[in-house]
PDB file of all heavy atoms in Angstrom:
ATOM      1  N   SER A  15      -2.118   4.778   5.917  1.00 80.00           N
ATOM      2  CA  SER A  15      -3.116   3.942   6.537  1.00 80.00           C
ATOM      3  C   SER A  15      -4.122   4.796   7.239  1.00 80.00           C
ATOM      4  O   SER A  15      -3.836   6.010   7.472  1.00 80.00           O
ATOM      5  CB  SER A  15      -2.583   2.972   7.533  1.00 80.00           C
ATOM      6  OG  SER A  15      -2.118   3.592   8.728  1.00 80.00           O
ATOM      7  N   GLN A  19      -3.292   8.672   8.898  1.00 81.00           N
ATOM      8  CA  GLN A  19      -4.000   9.751   8.443  1.00 81.00           C
ATOM      9  C   GLN A  19      -4.538  10.521   9.594  1.00 81.00           C
ATOM     10  O   GLN A  19      -4.572  11.848   9.658  1.00 81.00           O
ATOM     11  CB  GLN A  19      -5.074   9.313   7.455  1.00 81.00           C
ATOM     12  CG  GLN A  19      -4.559   8.882   6.110  1.00 81.00           C
ATOM     13  CD  GLN A  19      -5.709   8.522   5.146  1.00 81.00           C
ATOM     14  OE1 GLN A  19      -6.572   9.374   4.789  1.00 81.00           O
ATOM     15  NE2 GLN A  19      -5.816   7.274   4.759  1.00 81.00           N
ATOM     16  N   LEU A  30      -0.119  24.289  15.165  1.00 95.00           N
ATOM     17  CA  LEU A  30      -0.859  25.532  15.054  1.00 95.00           C
ATOM     18  C   LEU A  30      -0.951  26.151  16.479  1.00 95.00           C
ATOM     19  O   LEU A  30      -0.772  27.466  16.622  1.00 95.00           O
ATOM     20  CB  LEU A  30      -2.237  25.278  14.681  1.00 95.00           C
ATOM     21  CG  LEU A  30      -3.172  26.298  14.076  1.00 95.00           C
ATOM     22  CD1 LEU A  30      -2.551  27.010  12.961  1.00 95.00           C
ATOM     23  CD2 LEU A  30      -4.493  25.759  13.667  1.00 95.00           C
ATOM     24  N   ILE A  44     -17.440  14.185  13.886  1.00 97.00           N
ATOM     25  CA  ILE A  44     -18.637  13.746  13.329  1.00 97.00           C
ATOM     26  C   ILE A  44     -18.385  12.876  12.036  1.00 97.00           C
ATOM     27  O   ILE A  44     -17.536  13.407  11.184  1.00 97.00           O
ATOM     28  CB  ILE A  44     -19.494  14.975  12.980  1.00 97.00           C
ATOM     29  CG1 ILE A  44     -20.886  14.571  12.491  1.00 97.00           C
ATOM     30  CG2 ILE A  44     -18.819  15.977  12.097  1.00 97.00           C
ATOM     31  CD1 ILE A  44     -21.987  15.575  12.504  1.00 97.00           C
ATOM     32  N   GLU A  53     -13.904   3.666  11.295  1.00 91.00           N
ATOM     33  CA  GLU A  53     -12.500   3.559  11.438  1.00 91.00           C
ATOM     34  C   GLU A  53     -11.732   4.880  11.627  1.00 91.00           C
ATOM     35  O   GLU A  53     -10.863   4.990  12.453  1.00 91.00           O
ATOM     36  CB  GLU A  53     -11.965   2.775  10.213  1.00 91.00           C
ATOM     37  CG  GLU A  53     -12.240   1.300  10.240  1.00 91.00           C
ATOM     38  CD  GLU A  53     -11.787   0.572  11.498  1.00 91.00           C
ATOM     39  OE1 GLU A  53     -10.465   0.743  11.823  1.00 91.00           O
ATOM     40  OE2 GLU A  53     -12.550  -0.138  12.218  1.00 91.00           O
ATOM     41  N   ALA A  58      -8.784   8.349  15.309  1.00 93.00           N
ATOM     42  CA  ALA A  58      -8.572   9.668  15.911  1.00 93.00           C
ATOM     43  C   ALA A  58      -8.682   9.579  17.406  1.00 93.00           C
ATOM     44  O   ALA A  58      -7.888  10.203  18.120  1.00 93.00           O
ATOM     45  CB  ALA A  58      -9.734  10.574  15.402  1.00 93.00           C
ATOM     46  N   VAL A  91     -23.317  21.854  18.204  1.00 97.00           N
ATOM     47  CA  VAL A  91     -23.390  23.222  18.790  1.00 97.00           C
ATOM     48  C   VAL A  91     -23.349  23.168  20.295  1.00 97.00           C
ATOM     49  O   VAL A  91     -22.667  24.040  20.912  1.00 97.00           O
ATOM     50  CB  VAL A  91     -24.666  23.869  18.257  1.00 97.00           C
ATOM     51  CG1 VAL A  91     -24.877  25.298  19.047  1.00 97.00           C
ATOM     52  CG2 VAL A  91     -24.643  24.177  16.760  1.00 97.00           C
ATOM     53  N   HIS A 100     -14.130  15.742  10.511  1.00 95.00           N
ATOM     54  CA  HIS A 100     -15.153  15.182   9.692  1.00 95.00           C
ATOM     55  C   HIS A 100     -14.757  13.979   8.870  1.00 95.00           C
ATOM     56  O   HIS A 100     -13.637  13.953   8.346  1.00 95.00           O
ATOM     57  CB  HIS A 100     -15.781  16.175   8.646  1.00 95.00           C
ATOM     58  CG  HIS A 100     -16.296  17.388   9.265  1.00 95.00           C
ATOM     59  ND1 HIS A 100     -15.349  18.479   9.720  1.00 95.00           N
ATOM     60  CD2 HIS A 100     -17.519  17.931   9.553  1.00 95.00           C
ATOM     61  CE1 HIS A 100     -16.091  19.418  10.231  1.00 95.00           C
ATOM     62  NE2 HIS A 100     -17.339  19.091  10.065  1.00 95.00           N
ATOM     63  N   ALA A 107     -21.522  15.795   3.155  1.00 96.00           N
ATOM     64  CA  ALA A 107     -20.610  16.939   3.430  1.00 96.00           C
ATOM     65  C   ALA A 107     -21.247  18.251   3.007  1.00 96.00           C
ATOM     66  O   ALA A 107     -21.279  19.264   3.668  1.00 96.00           O
ATOM     67  CB  ALA A 107     -19.364  16.863   2.606  1.00 96.00           C
ATOM     68  N   LEU A 117     -27.561  27.124  11.127  1.00 97.00           N
ATOM     69  CA  LEU A 117     -27.567  27.272  12.565  1.00 97.00           C
ATOM     70  C   LEU A 117     -26.553  28.148  13.047  1.00 97.00           C
ATOM     71  O   LEU A 117     -26.393  28.295  14.354  1.00 97.00           O
ATOM     72  CB  LEU A 117     -27.376  25.742  13.144  1.00 97.00           C
ATOM     73  CG  LEU A 117     -28.488  24.795  12.846  1.00 97.00           C
ATOM     74  CD1 LEU A 117     -28.257  23.481  13.649  1.00 97.00           C
ATOM     75  CD2 LEU A 117     -29.933  25.362  13.324  1.00 97.00           C
ATOM     76  N   GLY A 118     -25.690  28.762  12.183  1.00 96.00           N
ATOM     77  CA  GLY A 118     -24.578  29.683  12.574  1.00 96.00           C
ATOM     78  C   GLY A 118     -23.482  29.060  13.337  1.00 96.00           C
ATOM     79  O   GLY A 118     -22.927  29.644  14.131  1.00 96.00           O
ATOM     80  N   ASN A 145     -15.598  27.731   1.131  1.00 96.00           N
ATOM     81  CA  ASN A 145     -14.341  28.425   1.603  1.00 96.00           C
ATOM     82  C   ASN A 145     -14.166  28.032   3.080  1.00 96.00           C
ATOM     83  O   ASN A 145     -15.081  27.855   3.861  1.00 96.00           O
ATOM     84  CB  ASN A 145     -14.470  29.899   1.338  1.00 96.00           C
ATOM     85  CG  ASN A 145     -14.287  30.108  -0.045  1.00 96.00           C
ATOM     86  OD1 ASN A 145     -13.734  29.469  -0.891  1.00 96.00           O
ATOM     87  ND2 ASN A 145     -14.831  31.430  -0.458  1.00 96.00           N
ATOM     88  N   ARG A 150      -7.626  17.384   5.035  1.00 92.00           N
ATOM     89  CA  ARG A 150      -6.515  16.571   5.084  1.00 92.00           C
ATOM     90  C   ARG A 150      -6.325  15.694   3.783  1.00 92.00           C
ATOM     91  O   ARG A 150      -7.091  14.964   3.478  1.00 92.00           O
ATOM     92  CB  ARG A 150      -6.479  15.577   6.267  1.00 92.00           C
ATOM     93  CG  ARG A 150      -5.164  14.893   6.538  1.00 92.00           C
ATOM     94  CD  ARG A 150      -5.416  13.426   6.184  1.00 92.00           C
ATOM     95  NE  ARG A 150      -4.103  12.771   6.277  1.00 92.00           N
ATOM     96  CZ  ARG A 150      -3.533  12.129   5.184  1.00 92.00           C
ATOM     97  NH1 ARG A 150      -4.077  12.256   4.089  1.00 92.00           N
ATOM     98  NH2 ARG A 150      -2.398  11.549   5.353  1.00 92.00           N
ATOM     99  N   HIS A 152      -3.848  14.298   0.161  1.00 84.00           N
ATOM    100  CA  HIS A 152      -2.656  13.579  -0.208  1.00 84.00           C
ATOM    101  C   HIS A 152      -1.949  14.221  -1.252  1.00 84.00           C
ATOM    102  O   HIS A 152      -0.802  13.992  -1.588  1.00 84.00           O
ATOM    103  CB  HIS A 152      -3.046  12.075  -0.717  1.00 84.00           C
ATOM    104  CG  HIS A 152      -3.882  11.407   0.289  1.00 84.00           C
ATOM    105  ND1 HIS A 152      -3.318  10.491   1.137  1.00 84.00           N
ATOM    106  CD2 HIS A 152      -5.242  11.227   0.532  1.00 84.00           C
ATOM    107  CE1 HIS A 152      -4.248   9.957   1.938  1.00 84.00           C
ATOM    108  NE2 HIS A 152      -5.423  10.355   1.497  1.00 84.00           N
ATOM    109  N   ASP A 156      -0.562  22.797  -6.020  1.00 86.00           N
ATOM    110  CA  ASP A 156       0.306  23.838  -5.590  1.00 86.00           C
ATOM    111  C   ASP A 156       1.801  23.364  -5.535  1.00 86.00           C
ATOM    112  O   ASP A 156       2.695  24.271  -5.469  1.00 86.00           O
ATOM    113  CB  ASP A 156      -0.174  24.452  -4.312  1.00 86.00           C
ATOM    114  CG  ASP A 156      -1.454  25.151  -4.394  1.00 86.00           C
ATOM    115  OD1 ASP A 156      -1.825  25.455  -5.570  1.00 86.00           O
ATOM    116  OD2 ASP A 156      -2.041  25.520  -3.341  1.00 86.00           O
ATOM    117  N   MET A 170      -2.766  16.382 -17.773  1.00 96.00           N
ATOM    118  CA  MET A 170      -3.214  15.220 -18.667  1.00 96.00           C
ATOM    119  C   MET A 170      -4.537  14.653 -18.131  1.00 96.00           C
ATOM    120  O   MET A 170      -5.459  14.209 -18.908  1.00 96.00           O
ATOM    121  CB  MET A 170      -2.137  14.113 -18.682  1.00 96.00           C
ATOM    122  CG  MET A 170      -0.892  14.614 -19.443  1.00 96.00           C
ATOM    123  SD  MET A 170       0.547  13.447 -19.229  1.00 96.00           S
ATOM    124  CE  MET A 170      -0.180  11.945 -20.022  1.00 96.00           C
ATOM    125  N   LYS A 172      -6.802  16.298 -16.361  1.00 94.00           N
ATOM    126  CA  LYS A 172      -7.915  17.256 -16.656  1.00 94.00           C
ATOM    127  C   LYS A 172      -8.338  17.089 -18.101  1.00 94.00           C
ATOM    128  O   LYS A 172      -9.520  17.249 -18.397  1.00 94.00           O
ATOM    129  CB  LYS A 172      -7.569  18.654 -16.260  1.00 94.00           C
ATOM    130  CG  LYS A 172      -8.795  19.644 -16.271  1.00 94.00           C
ATOM    131  CD  LYS A 172      -8.470  20.875 -15.639  1.00 94.00           C
ATOM    132  CE  LYS A 172      -9.806  21.728 -15.633  1.00 94.00           C
ATOM    133  NZ  LYS A 172      -9.573  23.010 -14.846  1.00 94.00           N
ATOM    134  N   GLN A 173      -7.398  16.979 -19.041  1.00 96.00           N
ATOM    135  CA  GLN A 173      -7.760  16.842 -20.385  1.00 96.00           C
ATOM    136  C   GLN A 173      -8.524  15.573 -20.600  1.00 96.00           C
ATOM    137  O   GLN A 173      -9.495  15.516 -21.482  1.00 96.00           O
ATOM    138  CB  GLN A 173      -6.497  16.853 -21.254  1.00 96.00           C
ATOM    139  CG  GLN A 173      -5.817  18.116 -21.322  1.00 96.00           C
ATOM    140  CD  GLN A 173      -4.497  18.139 -22.090  1.00 96.00           C
ATOM    141  OE1 GLN A 173      -4.037  17.036 -22.454  1.00 96.00           O
ATOM    142  NE2 GLN A 173      -3.865  19.195 -22.390  1.00 96.00           N
ATOM    143  N   LYS A 177     -12.013  17.335 -15.229  1.00 87.00           N
ATOM    144  CA  LYS A 177     -12.081  17.886 -13.888  1.00 87.00           C
ATOM    145  C   LYS A 177     -10.667  17.827 -13.314  1.00 87.00           C
ATOM    146  O   LYS A 177      -9.826  17.122 -13.778  1.00 87.00           O
ATOM    147  CB  LYS A 177     -13.067  17.030 -13.034  1.00 87.00           C
ATOM    148  CG  LYS A 177     -12.675  15.581 -12.875  1.00 87.00           C
ATOM    149  CD  LYS A 177     -13.643  14.873 -12.036  1.00 87.00           C
ATOM    150  CE  LYS A 177     -13.404  13.435 -11.816  1.00 87.00           C
ATOM    151  NZ  LYS A 177     -14.346  12.831 -11.002  1.00 87.00           N
ATOM    152  N   ASP A 178     -10.459  18.647 -12.173  1.00 84.00           N
ATOM    153  CA  ASP A 178      -9.154  18.696 -11.646  1.00 84.00           C
ATOM    154  C   ASP A 178      -8.781  17.358 -10.913  1.00 84.00           C
ATOM    155  O   ASP A 178      -9.686  16.798 -10.288  1.00 84.00           O
ATOM    156  CB  ASP A 178      -9.143  19.821 -10.594  1.00 84.00           C
ATOM    157  CG  ASP A 178      -9.104  21.238 -11.344  1.00 84.00           C
ATOM    158  OD1 ASP A 178      -8.663  21.259 -12.499  1.00 84.00           O
ATOM    159  OD2 ASP A 178      -9.662  22.182 -10.776  1.00 84.00           O
ATOM    160  N   MET A 179      -7.599  16.999 -11.048  1.00 87.00           N
ATOM    161  CA  MET A 179      -7.079  15.956 -10.237  1.00 87.00           C
ATOM    162  C   MET A 179      -7.006  16.234  -8.726  1.00 87.00           C
ATOM    163  O   MET A 179      -6.650  17.318  -8.321  1.00 87.00           O
ATOM    164  CB  MET A 179      -5.664  15.579 -10.678  1.00 87.00           C
ATOM    165  CG  MET A 179      -5.177  14.283 -10.215  1.00 87.00           C
ATOM    166  SD  MET A 179      -3.472  13.819 -10.953  1.00 87.00           S
ATOM    167  CE  MET A 179      -3.573  12.130 -11.082  1.00 87.00           C
ATOM    168  N   LEU A 193       3.721  -0.161  -9.239  1.00 97.00           N
ATOM    169  CA  LEU A 193       3.646  -1.441  -9.707  1.00 97.00           C
ATOM    170  C   LEU A 193       4.373  -1.556 -11.022  1.00 97.00           C
ATOM    171  O   LEU A 193       5.166  -2.386 -11.248  1.00 97.00           O
ATOM    172  CB  LEU A 193       2.221  -1.891  -9.806  1.00 97.00           C
ATOM    173  CG  LEU A 193       1.945  -3.200 -10.413  1.00 97.00           C
ATOM    174  CD1 LEU A 193       2.593  -4.316  -9.489  1.00 97.00           C
ATOM    175  CD2 LEU A 193       0.520  -3.503 -10.608  1.00 97.00           C
ATOM    176  N   SER A 202      10.109  -9.380 -15.538  1.00 95.00           N
ATOM    177  CA  SER A 202       9.384 -10.628 -15.527  1.00 95.00           C
ATOM    178  C   SER A 202       7.985 -10.395 -15.144  1.00 95.00           C
ATOM    179  O   SER A 202       7.646  -9.351 -14.488  1.00 95.00           O
ATOM    180  CB  SER A 202       9.974 -11.569 -14.561  1.00 95.00           C
ATOM    181  OG  SER A 202       9.146 -12.798 -14.428  1.00 95.00           O
ATOM    182  N   THR A 203       7.057 -11.225 -15.630  1.00 93.00           N
ATOM    183  CA  THR A 203       5.577 -11.152 -15.251  1.00 93.00           C
ATOM    184  C   THR A 203       5.331 -12.256 -14.097  1.00 93.00           C
ATOM    185  O   THR A 203       4.116 -12.550 -13.783  1.00 93.00           O
ATOM    186  CB  THR A 203       4.677 -11.352 -16.441  1.00 93.00           C
ATOM    187  OG1 THR A 203       5.000 -12.640 -17.015  1.00 93.00           O
ATOM    188  CG2 THR A 203       4.863 -10.106 -17.343  1.00 93.00           C
ATOM    189  N   PRO A 227       8.354  11.951   1.051  1.00 87.00           N
ATOM    190  CA  PRO A 227       9.797  11.831   0.776  1.00 87.00           C
ATOM    191  C   PRO A 227      10.114  10.733  -0.185  1.00 87.00           C
ATOM    192  O   PRO A 227      11.192  10.643  -0.725  1.00 87.00           O
ATOM    193  CB  PRO A 227      10.345  11.497   2.191  1.00 87.00           C
ATOM    194  CG  PRO A 227       9.312  11.911   3.154  1.00 87.00           C
ATOM    195  CD  PRO A 227       7.946  11.833   2.442  1.00 87.00           C
ATOM    196  N   THR A 234       5.103  -5.469   6.236  1.00 94.00           N
ATOM    197  CA  THR A 234       3.774  -5.690   5.967  1.00 94.00           C
ATOM    198  C   THR A 234       3.177  -5.227   4.636  1.00 94.00           C
ATOM    199  O   THR A 234       2.138  -5.411   4.359  1.00 94.00           O
ATOM    200  CB  THR A 234       2.859  -5.010   7.225  1.00 94.00           C
ATOM    201  OG1 THR A 234       2.903  -3.597   6.902  1.00 94.00           O
ATOM    202  CG2 THR A 234       3.420  -5.295   8.534  1.00 94.00           C
TER     203      THR A 234
END
Side-chain angles (χ1 to χ4, degrees):
S15 70
Q19 289 183 60
L30 200 55
I44 184 166
E53 285 299 312
V91 173
H100 304 74
L117 298 181
N145 289 331
R150 188 247 173 246
H152 304 270
D156 289 350
M170 293 169 66
K172 188 164 187 176
Q173 289 176 352
K177 60 181 180 179
D178 290 330
M179 192 176 211
L193 178 58
S202 168
T203 56
T234 72

